[in-house]
Amino acid sequence: MINGENVNNISMNIKVQESSRINMYKVCKRAMDIFIAIIGVIVLCPIVLIVFIANKIEGDKGPVFFMQKRIGENGKLFRLYKFRTMVVNADKILMKKLKNDKEFREKYLNYRKVENDERITKIGNFLRKTSLDEFPQFINVLKGEMSFVGPRPYLNREKKDMDEYYNYIIKCKPGITGLWQVSGRSQNTFKERLKLDLEYYNNRGLWYDIKIVFKTVLSVFKKEGAM
């Protein structure tokens, strides 16, 4: 017969084992992130030059990089790096359209993205279709602000719409890729992305991450869900 003390000991052992497993996973995950990030930053260097020249040819005098505050691990805000794929005053145009265009507003609030977005530049459209616009985030991974695999890096203004999902999502570092990106990407609604990120949190593990990495490579080559 199992007494109360034995039950407590079993429960404590399970918690210790689970904590040990999570810690080992985090160490292995960080090692994998650093390895991938170093390769990513090396590849990034010539891409920056190519994008800079392409923008100049197109007459785009704006900056090559776009920086934006995002929600990181434990709710801490960080500055996310991306290649700029939109016109310089994109946020002002967005706010104006959200205010004046009902159909646009409904689509944006549901998906947080819209097809044929007029704010996207010609070079930006190519970068998005090929997922090259994400490459500067390898700098965030190297800095320890992001992981290669993780939940979507949400905007601070989206926090109020994340509801109860927020408390679980912020327990992980946001990722360049994740379950959301290999499960429809931009074709998913905002709510569906939250559910996928919660699913990732509940199933996170090294082999799960590796599986998502392979699926990401396939999705990029097939250009699935890009917008």
Side-chain angles (χ1 to χ4, degrees):
M1 184 175 180
I2 300 175
N3 58 37
E5 185 177 348
N6 287 336
V7 170
N8 289 334
N9 288 336
I10 292 171
S11 178
M12 185 175 294
N13 287 334
I14 291 173
K15 287 180 180 179
V16 169
Q17 290 174 8
E18 180 65 15
S19 177
S20 178
R21 185 189 70 82
I22 292 295
N23 288 335
M24 181 59 70
Y25 162 62
K26 286 183 176 180
V27 170
C28 293
K29 184 179 177 70
R30 182 59 186 153
M32 185 174 72
D33 280 344
I34 292 173
F35 176 75
I36 295 175
I38 290 172
I39 296 173
V41 171
I42 292 172
V43 175
L44 172 65
C45 293
I47 297 176
V48 172
L49 181 60
I50 293 170
V51 172
F52 175 79
I53 294 172
N55 282 344
K56 291 298 180 184
I57 293 173
E58 288 296 320
D60 188 338
K61 298 179 180 179
V64 173
F65 293 112
F66 173 74
M67 292 175 283
Q68 191 177 49
K69 290 285 185 71
R70 298 293 180 103
I71 301 172
E73 189 177 22
N74 298 319
K76 183 180 178 180
L77 294 178
F78 71 98
R79 196 179 299 275
L80 177 141
Y81 304 104
K82 294 185 74 172
F83 278 121
R84 182 177 58 83
T85 59
M86 293 187 174
V87 294
V88 175
N89 59 338
D91 280 344
K92 289 184 179 179
I93 295 173
L94 173 63
M95 294 305 163
K96 187 176 180 180
K97 291 208 70 172
L98 287 173
K99 183 179 179 181
N100 300 323
D101 190 330
K102 182 180 178 182
E103 184 178 352
F104 177 90
R105 182 168 61 251
E106 288 176 352
K107 285 184 178 180
Y108 183 83
L109 292 177
N110 197 26
Y111 290 93
R112 292 305 195 272
K113 288 185 179 181
V114 289
E115 290 184 8
N116 304 316
D117 195 328
E118 62 185 29
R119 300 172 300 155
I120 300 175
T121 64
K122 186 181 293 186
I123 302 301
N125 186 56
F126 171 77
L127 291 171
R128 287 185 172 217
K129 293 292 184 183
T130 55
S131 294
L132 289 173
D133 62 314
E134 311 284 356
F135 259 70
Q137 290 171 44
F138 283 114
I139 298 172
N140 293 115
V141 175
L142 207 55
K143 291 171 67 179
E145 298 165 331
M146 293 181 65
S147 178
F148 185 60
V149 180
R152 178 175 174 265
Y154 289 89
L155 290 162
N156 194 38
R157 65 170 179 257
E158 294 175 325
K159 180 178 177 180
K160 64 181 186 299
D161 298 320
M162 293 171 72
D163 298 327
E164 70 276 6
Y165 295 99
Y166 174 82
N167 296 321
Y168 296 96
I169 289 173
I170 63 168
K171 291 181 180 179
C172 305
K173 287 182 183 179
I176 295 178
T177 187
L179 189 59
W180 51 275
Q181 193 164 9
V182 298
S183 305
R185 207 170 167 183
S186 297
Q187 295 174 356
N188 292 317
T189 64
F190 183 74
K191 196 75 172 181
E192 286 169 341
R193 286 179 222 170
L194 290 170
K195 290 179 179 178
L196 287 168
D197 284 335
L198 178 61
E199 183 178 337
Y200 171 79
Y201 167 78
N202 289 328
N203 295 283
R204 67 195 187 283
L206 192 60
W207 289 114
Y208 197 61
D209 283 1
I210 292 172
K211 183 178 179 181
I212 290 174
V213 170
F214 280 110
K215 284 189 174 183
T216 297
V217 174
L218 290 175
S219 295
V220 169
F221 276 111
K222 294 179 180 180
K223 298 180 181 179
E224 293 177 345
M227 188 184 290

